[in-house]
Amino acid sequence: MSRLELMTWTEVDTYLKRSDGIMIPVGSTEQHGPIGIIGTDSLVAQLVAWRAAKICGALVAPTIGYTPAPFNESFPGTISVSSAQFSNLAAEIALCLARQGFRSIYFVNGHGANVAGLRRVRGSVKNARIRIRSWWEFEEISKLRKRLYGKWEGMHATPSEIAITQHVYGSKLVPLEARQPPKLLSKAYILAHAGDRHGPADQHRREFPDGRVGSHSALASPEHGKQLLSVAAAELARDYLRFLRK
Ligand code: NI
């Protein structure tokens, strides 16, 4: 058993006798373009964590799914909270776990705008070690994303994240417009907007009317998703074990 919410407290107590580590997936609830589902970031982070946990014997806490995405508020279905609120919540979760003996806390991130808030958690949680990694940043997964999609991976509603949800939850029909690539982003744009540093919601929707930010989502396929999930999980499992050994 690797999911906290499916365990009894006595099972957790037993787990703590052999390990002080825990993964916390962190996602978002936001638009992901015309074929990506609203929960993409949360679903992918937790799928990667669940799969990795089976490999490395980790425990996975419930996913934090309400996070900052103010730039997507003009797309219906997006639920955004302030970065401060999110950061406080993540810190309180980590502090509570640390008091029970979880001293190695690994945030598995699925949403660029979470990174700044998660880094602030480090400052407020003194009695536990904190690691923050986004599932797409490991070396092998970066190579695979590049090989599958090249420049069309883009920044948001990426074919790689959508492929993983397709593999597990099925695919949406691709509307005609979404079969075409979106406008290609310049290197300067990508650099300036890393970590989801986007403008106000109305302006963001005007700039990216179908919600894709440089990502050709329609290149995704369930077969790709299967491959991406297994590579990401293997890398996360390895990195989690490295983190515990330190
Ligand atoms: Ni996403």
Side-chain angles (χ1 to χ4, degrees):
M1 186 51 63
S2 51
R3 288 172 54 184
L4 181 73
E5 70 269 36
L6 301 180
M7 295 166 74
T8 66
W9 77 264
T10 54
E11 288 171 327
V12 179
D13 202 40
T14 305
Y15 172 89
L16 275 166
K17 294 193 171 81
R18 72 169 172 85
S19 176
D20 69 353
I22 190 162
M23 291 183 188
I24 308 176
V26 193
S28 76
T29 304
E30 62 169 345
Q31 71 84 12
H32 270 76
I35 67 164
I37 53 185
I38 299 284
T40 297
D41 292 347
S42 296
L43 297 170
V44 173
Q46 74 186 19
L47 285 167
V48 173
W50 291 345
R51 175 77 76 88
K54 288 209 172 115
I55 302 170
C56 64
L59 185 60
V60 184
T63 303
I64 305 177
Y66 295 121
T67 61
F71 43 87
N72 272 327
E73 276 187 33
S74 293
F75 294 93
T78 298
I79 304 174
S80 174
V81 302
S82 70
S83 187
Q85 179 85 328
F86 160 64
S87 193
N88 287 341
L89 175 66
E92 288 192 19
I93 291 168
L95 283 165
C96 183
L97 287 166
R99 285 195 294 271
Q100 297 170 3
F102 290 98
R103 297 297 167 88
S104 304
I105 298 173
Y106 194 123
F107 286 104
V108 181
N109 181 45
H111 175 57
N114 292 342
V115 175
L118 289 174
R119 287 200 179 124
R120 287 200 297 277
V121 171
R122 276 208 196 108
S124 42
V125 179
K126 301 292 181 203
N127 51 348
R129 300 181 310 132
I130 307 274
R131 178 103 123 198
I132 304 154
R133 289 288 182 277
S134 299
W135 66 266
W136 59 80
E137 69 183 338
F138 298 113
E139 196 182 336
E140 290 305 313
I141 197 77
S142 303
K143 276 194 225 158
L144 180 58
R145 289 162 62 223
K146 198 161 185 184
R147 183 159 65 73
L148 290 173
Y149 309 118
K151 66 183 179 193
W152 290 122
E153 173 73 343
M155 294 188 83
H156 184 66
T158 65
S160 62
E161 61 184 348
I162 289 174
I164 292 174
T165 64
Q166 287 178 339
H167 164 55
V168 178
Y169 299 106
S171 307
K172 299 285 183 189
L173 281 177
V174 182
L176 211 54
E177 322 80 75
R179 289 182 205 166
Q180 302 303 317
K183 70 176 172 193
L184 190 61
L185 303 177
S186 67
K187 286 221 170 76
Y189 184 94
I190 294 171
L191 218 59
H193 297 264
D196 285 345
R197 287 193 304 272
H198 299 297
D202 289 348
Q203 181 197 320
H204 189 64
R205 183 163 172 174
R206 268 197 309 278
E207 207 175 341
F208 302 100
D210 73 2
R212 297 177 297 173
V213 181
S215 297
H216 194 353
S217 317
L219 300 178
S221 75
E223 294 71 28
H224 288 169
K226 188 177 176 194
Q227 208 182 340
L228 286 157
L229 178 57
S230 108
V231 172
E235 290 213 282
L236 172 59
R238 266 197 298 278
D239 193 58
Y240 177 81
L241 291 175
R242 267 198 298 272
F243 172 58
L244 287 196
R245 273 198 302 272
K246 263 205 215 156

